[in-house]
Amino acid sequence: MQNLGDPMPHYWLTLAMSKRLGADLATAWDDGTLDAETWACTVTECRKCSRPGACRKWLARPQHDMTPPAYCRNAAFLLDLATRQPGGTVAA
């Protein structure tokens, strides 16, 4: 079994990554696009990542860099969520 990282830092990393990629989690929750199970799975995917330090460094970079790191286990989900929300585009 894989050793998962501490849930709280990964919770905050997931929130920060979603914001950076333009996915509004509150809107997704309100409109039913995001439910508790999906959110839990998203944080768990982040916990499986072996590069949280690199993620923190990427998130600290200037916001004009919107291409998520290749190692992000949630990038595809968060980018898809961002494009399905009002405005329909990923943050730039």
Side-chain angles (χ1 to χ4, degrees):
M1 177 179 233
Q2 182 177 1
N3 185 20
L4 300 178
D6 181 13
M8 286 311 293
H10 290 276
Y11 168 86
W12 292 112
L13 286 172
T14 304
L15 283 178
M17 184 63 74
S18 65
K19 183 176 180 179
R20 173 66 73 92
L21 299 181
D24 183 339
L25 299 179
T27 297
W29 185 268
D30 290 344
D31 70 16
T33 306
L34 181 65
D35 60 22
E37 182 177 357
T38 303
W39 174 242
C41 289
T42 304
V43 174
T44 298
E45 281 302 306
C46 183
R47 291 177 67 201
K48 293 176 185 177
C49 181
S50 62
R51 302 189 63 192
C55 184
R56 281 189 283 282
K57 287 179 183 176
W58 184 86
L59 288 164
R61 290 167 51 181
Q63 287 198 343
H64 58 79
D65 181 2
M66 294 306 196
T67 303
Y71 56 81
C72 181
R73 301 174 70 97
N74 288 313
F77 170 73
L78 294 172
L79 288 169
D80 180 62
L81 186 61
T83 60
R84 291 187 286 133
Q85 292 182 326
T89 59
V90 175

